[in-house]
Amino acid sequence: MHLCRRRFLHLAAGAAVLPASVSAQAYPSRPVKIIVGQAAGSASDIVARLIAQFLSEKLGQQFLVEVRPGAAGNIATEAMLSLPGLVLA
């Protein structure tokens, strides 16, 4: 049986996505944090809160907005990196 390259790539991509789709059904199991590196009441904060409200209504999952201003965004970046369960790919 001759397996063309395109068919092989489709099968390989499907095999790679299958485990991710099985484990993604229970995600997220706890509230999702949105970290904003600007001051409270800024445009970034307002947009983040609107997005969090929209996603909470559509997905039925709690979204929290945490404001961490200062140090040109370094405080927010540090807070993001210290989150439990964070996986950087």
Side-chain angles (χ1 to χ4, degrees):
M1 176 177 138
H2 182 273
L3 187 64
C4 69
R5 187 174 115 181
R6 180 174 290 178
R7 179 78 174 153
F8 173 75
L9 292 175
H10 281 265
L11 290 173
V17 171
L18 183 62
S21 65
V22 171
S23 65
Q25 292 175 356
Y27 179 81
S29 60
R30 53 185 179 234
V32 177
K33 276 188 181 179
I34 300 173
I35 300 178
V36 178
Q38 302 293 322
S42 66
S44 302
D45 180 40
I46 294 169
V47 169
R49 292 181 190 278
L50 290 172
I51 290 172
Q53 181 181 2
F54 174 78
L55 291 173
S56 293
E57 292 170 359
K58 291 294 180 186
L59 301 177
Q61 177 67 32
Q62 188 177 12
F63 284 77
L64 304 174
V65 176
E66 186 174 327
V67 179
R68 294 285 185 106
N74 288 334
I75 295 173
T77 303
E78 188 175 305
M80 189 267 313
L81 290 174
S82 68
L83 290 174
L86 179 69
V87 178
L88 298 176

